[in-house]
Structure formats: C-alpha cells, structure tokens
Amino acid sequence: HASRGQGRSALAHALYLAREGPYGRGRFAEQFVEVAHCNMPGWAQDDPQAFWTAADTYERANGRLYTELEIALPRELSAADRLTLAQTFVDTHMGTTHPCTWALHVSRALDGAEQPHVHVMFSERTLDGIERGPGLFFRRANAAAPALGGAAKDPAWNHRDKVVELREAW
C-alpha cells in the first residue's frame, strides 16, 4: 500500500511502471516489456495517468493512493506466455471493478538470468456504475446516497485472507 504520509505519489509510480518520464531511458527502459490500463473511470479512459494524478490530488491525506502486487513470473515461459499469464491474472483478480495499471518487466537476477515479473497497481475503490468526476470519485463513500459520495473502497483488500487467496490463485 502507498500513501502520501509515506511520501509516495501514485503518478510517479505509474510513470515508473510504464517506463515514462525519467524512467523512459537507461536500465529502466531496458527492463520494460508491456504496460496496460484497465477499468479506468470515463474521465480517465483516454489518459490513465489522469486517474493517478487525481488520486494524488483528491485521495484523503491518510488514505491509500494505490495498492500494488508484484509477482514473479516463471523464466521458463516464452515472452508471449508470460504476457498471457499476466493478463489472465489481472483480468481474473481485478475484474471490471478496480482501476488498474499493470506492467511486465524483465530485469536481471543475481545469477545473470532473466527475472520476469509483473507489477499490478490498482485502486481499492470500486467502480459501481455511477459516473463521478475526479474530485467526487476519491471522496468518502456515502452508503445512504451513493451518487453523492465517492466510490467505495473494497474492504477485502485489507484482510490477510486476501493475500492467501491471491497466493493460492497464483
């Protein structure tokens, strides 16, 4: 999990994953394979970075800007199979409800061989079919009048059982 209180920025991390901006050259760029975005609200469909900028701007000061999973991929798989495996995992576990940016990178392991891995950066906020602008999207949810509050966060991501579930699924 990452928050402003930890000195983190959702946009900076999204740029790192996508190998854009200061991460678009040198060893960072060499590790890059693929980036994709899914489940972005309407206002961020054409510019997923706008979603992460809005998270930095509007999420509560002590709220989680994003949650990230970093998952090792088997070296033995072909590049195409790694991509398919990563895409399938993201589709299965993010579904259509959590705004997400994911990226496949291949760095070098200590033994000099490839170390393929996928980063899955997502918001715990849930898309519920109500169109909200960026300022409203990141407000506290309003159970009595959902359209007047922000998108609710999925509390399942705060339970240890979720970690076990994801590890077993992987």
Side-chain angles (χ1 to χ4, degrees):
H1 310 289
S3 68
R4 277 193 297 275
Q6 298 169 323
R8 297 292 202 38
S9 162
L11 178 61
H13 196 65
L15 292 173
Y16 167 77
L17 295 185
R19 299 307 201 240
E20 294 177 358
Y23 308 103
R25 56 191 171 279
R27 72 178 175 92
F28 293 115
E30 293 167 7
Q31 297 172 356
F32 178 77
V33 177
E34 183 79 25
V35 67
H37 311 278
C38 56
N39 307 326
M40 292 294 167
W43 49 268
Q45 286 290 318
D46 295 331
D47 181 11
Q49 305 309 347
F51 180 83
W52 301 113
T53 299
D56 284 337
T57 304
Y58 299 109
E59 187 61 71
R60 292 186 335 264
N62 62 345
R64 292 180 179 168
L65 298 170
Y66 64 89
T67 297
E68 181 182 19
L69 307 173
E70 187 173 349
I71 305 165
L73 295 166
R75 305 179 167 166
E76 298 80 12
L77 294 179
S78 69
D81 287 344
R82 290 175 190 164
L83 190 57
T84 299
L85 182 60
Q87 179 71 59
T88 301
F89 184 84
V90 170
D91 288 348
T92 301
H93 295 283
M94 293 299 109
T96 59
T97 57
H98 295 288
C100 170
T101 293
W102 66 272
L104 178 60
H105 299 159
V106 179
S107 54
R108 289 281 157 212
L110 292 175
D111 65 1
E114 290 185 332
Q115 184 177 5
H117 57 282
V118 64
H119 297 263
V120 182
M121 174 187 183
F122 63 96
S123 173
E124 294 176 7
R125 292 190 179 273
T126 306
L127 299 178
D128 58 6
I130 298 172
E131 283 296 320
R132 297 173 175 90
L136 184 57
F137 187 88
F138 290 98
R139 277 200 185 149
R140 286 189 188 267
N142 182 337
L148 299 178
K153 289 189 176 184
D154 182 348
W157 292 103
N158 298 316
H159 297 283
R160 290 184 191 269
D161 294 347
K162 187 67 171 179
V163 174
V164 172
E165 173 191 324
L166 291 169
R167 286 181 178 165
E168 287 175 353
W170 183 245

